[in-house]
Amino acid sequence: MKDKLKSYFLNIIDKENKLSLNKQIYPFYFVIGALVLYIILYVLPSVIGIYYSFTDWSRWSDSINFVGLKNFKTIFSRNQNYILYITNTLKFTLITTVIKSVLGIAFALLVNRGIKYKNFHRAAIFFPAILSFLVTGLIFRSILHPSMGFLNETLRSLGLEFMAQKWLVDLKWVFKSLMAVDIWKGVGYIMTIYLAGLQSIPDIYYEAAEIDGASNFKKFRHVTLPLLMPAITITTVLNLIYGLRVFDIIYVLTGGGPGYTTEVLYSAVFREFGQGTYAVGNALSTVMVVFMVLIGYFIIRLFRKREVEM
C-alpha cells in the first residue's frame, strides 16, 4: 500500500514538473514562429532583391544576367534624374524630421501642463495620425486646389488674394506643401512619444532645480532635454526611416510631378517596376536600405552618447 501511494504521488509531481516546464517553453514557440515569419517575409525577399539589383532583370528579357555595378552606375550618373530623387528624399527627410521633432516637443510640453481640456487638445493634435495617407491626400488635394481649393478661397474671401498660390503645381511651393501636409499628419504621433517621455521624468528633479533658482528655460535645457534624450532618439530614427521611405503622400497629391520635381526614391522604385525595369528598381531599393542603415546607425550612436540615466 505504501509503495502504491509513493508511486502515485511521484507521478503527480512528475506531471506538475512537466506542466511547469511546458509553461516555461511555450512562449518560445511564439518567438521562433515570429522569427521564421520575419526571415521568410522580410529578410529573404530583401536578400533576393539585393541580388537582383546586380542583374539586368527586366520585363523584356527572357534571361537574367549578372551585370555587377551597372545599375548603381546608372543611378549615380550625372545625366540621369536619379540624383534628383535621392536629393529630394534626403531633403524631405531632414526638414520633416527636424520640424516634427521641434513641434512634437513643443506640443508635448503644452499638453503636459495643467491646461483646460488638455485631453481634448491631445486628441485633436493626435487625430491626423490615425488618418490613412489616401484620405489625407484626398483631403488636401481639395484644400490646396489652385482655383477651387478651400485654402485659396478662404484667402480670397479675406482680401488676401495675393497669398493664394498654386500649391501643388508651382515649382516654388509644391515640395513645401508636401512637407507641410506630412508634418501635419505625423506631428501628433511624435508628440505622444515625447509626452510619454515627459511623464516618466520624476518631479524631484524639477523641485531641485527650483531650489537652485533655475528659470524655466534652464529647467528645460538642463533637466528636460537630457532626460528626454531616449525619446528624442526613438522619434528621430522613426522620422528618418519614414522620410526615406516616403511614398504614399507624394503619390496621392502629386504623383511625383510636376514633371519629376517631387519624385523620391520610393516613387521612383514604383515607377521603375511599373515600366518593367525591375533590376533598376531593386537597385534603388538597395540604395534606400543602405541609407536607412547608415543614417540610423550614426544617429543612434550620436544620441546614445548624450543620454543620461534617471
Side-chain angles (χ1 to χ4, degrees):
M1 186 68 179
K2 289 182 179 180
D3 292 337
K4 288 182 178 180
L5 288 172
K6 184 178 180 180
S7 176
Y8 174 75
F9 284 116
L10 286 174
N11 287 332
I12 291 174
I13 292 170
D14 187 50
K15 287 180 180 179
E16 288 179 352
N17 288 335
K18 286 181 179 179
L19 286 171
S20 177
L21 184 62
N22 287 334
K23 286 181 180 178
Q24 293 176 6
I25 295 175
Y26 189 67
F28 289 100
Y29 296 149
F30 292 98
V31 175
I32 293 170
L35 184 61
V36 170
L37 284 175
Y38 179 76
I39 292 171
I40 294 173
L41 298 177
Y42 182 78
V43 176
L44 189 59
S46 299
V47 172
I48 294 172
I50 292 172
Y51 166 75
Y52 280 126
S53 66
F54 294 96
T55 68
D56 61 354
W57 183 31
S58 72
R59 181 188 299 169
W60 303 280
S61 62
D62 296 328
S63 60
I64 300 175
N65 304 304
F66 185 81
V67 295
L69 298 174
K70 181 180 178 181
N71 295 320
F72 296 96
K73 290 178 181 177
T74 301
I75 291 171
F76 290 102
S77 61
R78 293 185 178 180
N79 60 344
Q80 297 288 339
N81 289 324
Y82 299 115
I83 297 296
L84 173 64
Y85 308 155
I86 294 172
T87 303
N88 284 345
T89 304
L90 294 176
K91 182 170 73 171
F92 183 95
T93 302
L94 177 63
I95 294 174
T96 56
T97 296
V98 172
I99 296 178
K100 283 180 189 176
S101 295
V102 172
L103 289 179
I105 292 176
F107 286 141
L109 290 169
L110 180 65
V111 299
N112 193 43
R113 295 174 175 270
I115 60 174
K116 289 184 178 181
Y117 312 114
K118 66 179 179 181
N119 289 332
F120 169 79
H121 295 307
R122 291 176 183 178
I125 297 170
F126 181 75
F127 175 73
I130 68 176
L131 296 175
S132 70
F133 285 101
L134 177 61
V135 172
T136 303
L138 293 174
I139 291 171
F140 277 93
R141 279 180 66 178
S142 62
I143 291 175
L144 301 176
H145 193 278
S147 58
M148 299 177 293
F150 175 78
L151 179 57
N152 282 347
E153 286 294 322
T154 302
L155 291 173
R156 292 188 186 104
S157 66
L158 295 173
L160 302 173
E161 189 170 354
F162 69 95
M163 296 181 64
Q165 304 291 336
K166 297 180 179 179
W167 305 104
L168 299 178
V169 180
D170 192 337
L171 298 181
K172 180 181 177 181
W173 291 101
V174 60
F175 211 71
K176 296 174 184 176
S177 300
L178 290 172
M179 289 189 286
V181 173
D182 180 75
I183 291 165
W184 175 84
K185 176 172 170 51
V187 71
Y189 178 72
I190 301 304
M191 178 203 69
T192 59
I193 298 175
Y194 285 134
L195 186 59
L198 288 172
Q199 292 178 348
S200 68
I201 299 175
D203 292 335
I204 189 172
Y205 293 107
Y206 294 107
E207 292 170 1
E210 283 183 7
I211 293 171
D212 291 338
S215 63
N216 289 332
F217 176 76
K218 287 186 176 180
K219 289 179 192 175
F220 175 75
R221 180 182 176 184
H222 297 291
V223 178
T224 304
L225 269 184
L227 296 178
L228 204 60
M229 279 307 298
I232 294 174
T233 303
I234 292 169
T235 55
T236 303
V237 172
L238 288 175
N239 281 328
L240 288 172
I241 291 174
Y242 167 75
L244 292 172
R245 294 172 60 249
V246 66
F247 168 72
D248 314 66
I249 203 72
I250 289 175
Y251 182 74
V252 175
L253 285 174
T254 65
Y260 298 109
T261 52
T262 58
E263 283 270 22
V264 289
L265 278 174
Y266 244 136
S267 61
V269 170
F270 178 79
R271 184 169 51 78
E272 294 294 342
F273 273 93
Q275 294 176 352
T277 50
Y278 306 129
V280 177
N282 278 294
L284 284 168
S285 297
T286 301
V287 170
M288 183 175 57
V289 170
V290 170
F291 280 157
M292 282 190 213
V293 172
L294 291 178
I295 294 174
Y297 172 76
F298 285 113
I299 288 294
I300 290 173
R301 285 204 62 181
L302 177 65
F303 282 26
R304 287 289 185 189
K305 292 178 181 179
R306 299 177 181 273
E307 292 182 10
V308 295
E309 294 184 2
M310 294 189 192

